[in-house]
Amino acid sequence: MFKKFIAKDNVSGTQQVKSSVARGIRAGLVEHYPAVAPYVDQIVPKKEPLVLVKCHDHIELVALDGEVILFRDTAGIFMPTLKLLHKYPMMLPHQQVDKGAIRFVLSGANIMCPGLTSPGAKMIESPEKEIVAIMAEGKEHAIAIGLMKMSSEQIKTVNKGIGVENLHYVNDGLWQMKNTK
């Protein structure tokens, strides 16, 4: 999604978020990511102004103090950026790829089923269309955020095709985006 994303070319406008919209964002975070409920005041403080950055291709970013913390596309739910996920790793369920898949994931490739079922990979039970953190064998932090294209049961039985769609990865356009101020 952010492979060729360049902020100066893709941003079409920014606006400060109303407090009612900020409350909706906070409520949505708690609803979609229940593990983050105790930390929601730290992630999206009530008194701090949020900025909504509208981009081409129906992508919206939410920034706090100039740093992008959330993004969403046409799917409609806000997802954490990797920088936020590194601060709050419990926010998303983790799927782990083997060492052989790391360089492909970091170049924007989707995660194929064999990369999730081979030795070195670890897969937890996840339904289709769930947002997950992509961990790598031997690494401490998530290397990508993805959308499950199949349930974990389907991935185990089929073991072929795209298992997780790569939405945002380390060193992509969103990762490299500078302050939005």
Side-chain angles (χ1 to χ4, degrees):
M1 176 188 298
F2 294 103
K3 192 171 194 173
K4 296 181 181 178
F5 184 85
I6 300 170
K8 65 181 174 100
D9 297 338
N10 288 296
V11 173
S12 58
T14 61
Q15 66 186 40
Q16 188 167 334
V17 174
K18 293 180 181 179
S19 60
S20 60
V21 175
R23 279 194 303 274
I25 291 171
R26 291 166 54 87
L29 284 177
V30 172
E31 178 185 340
H32 293 291
Y33 313 110
V36 84
Y39 308 100
V40 76
D41 287 333
Q42 296 168 4
I43 296 170
V44 185
K46 291 180 181 177
K47 300 292 182 186
E48 296 292 322
L50 292 178
V51 175
L52 183 67
V53 180
K54 294 194 178 205
C55 304
H56 298 298
D57 300 327
H58 305 288
I59 296 172
E60 293 181 334
L61 312 173
V62 173
L64 176 69
D65 293 330
E67 181 181 340
V68 177
I69 57 170
L70 303 168
F71 69 95
R72 75 173 168 188
D73 61 358
T74 54
I77 62 167
F78 279 107
M79 297 167 263
T81 61
L82 276 168
K83 292 178 182 180
L84 182 64
L85 186 63
H86 289 172
K87 293 176 187 172
Y88 301 96
M90 82 310 271
M91 198 169 188
L92 296 175
H94 295 184
Q95 303 292 5
Q96 181 175 303
V97 296
D98 60 4
K99 287 182 179 180
I102 295 173
R103 68 184 180 119
F104 297 106
V105 173
L106 292 178
S107 64
N110 291 325
I111 295 84
M112 306 306 280
C113 293
L116 293 165
T117 57
S118 64
K122 293 179 187 163
M123 191 169 43
I124 62 163
E125 294 299 318
S126 293
E128 187 177 348
K129 296 186 180 177
E130 182 174 36
I131 305 297
V132 294
I134 306 300
M135 307 301 284
E137 180 182 6
K139 304 294 180 196
E140 180 182 349
H141 295 291
I143 61 171
I145 293 174
L147 175 69
M148 296 288 291
K149 297 304 275 183
M150 297 183 208
S151 70
S152 50
E153 283 301 314
Q154 289 173 311
I155 290 172
K156 288 176 189 171
T157 51
V158 175
N159 202 21
K160 187 166 133 181
I162 297 171
V164 181
E165 180 184 353
N166 191 343
L167 300 175
H168 169 41
Y169 56 94
V170 173
N171 224 12
D172 67 0
L174 182 58
W175 177 269
Q176 294 179 357
M177 189 172 174
K178 301 292 181 221
N179 285 352
T180 59
K181 286 186 178 181

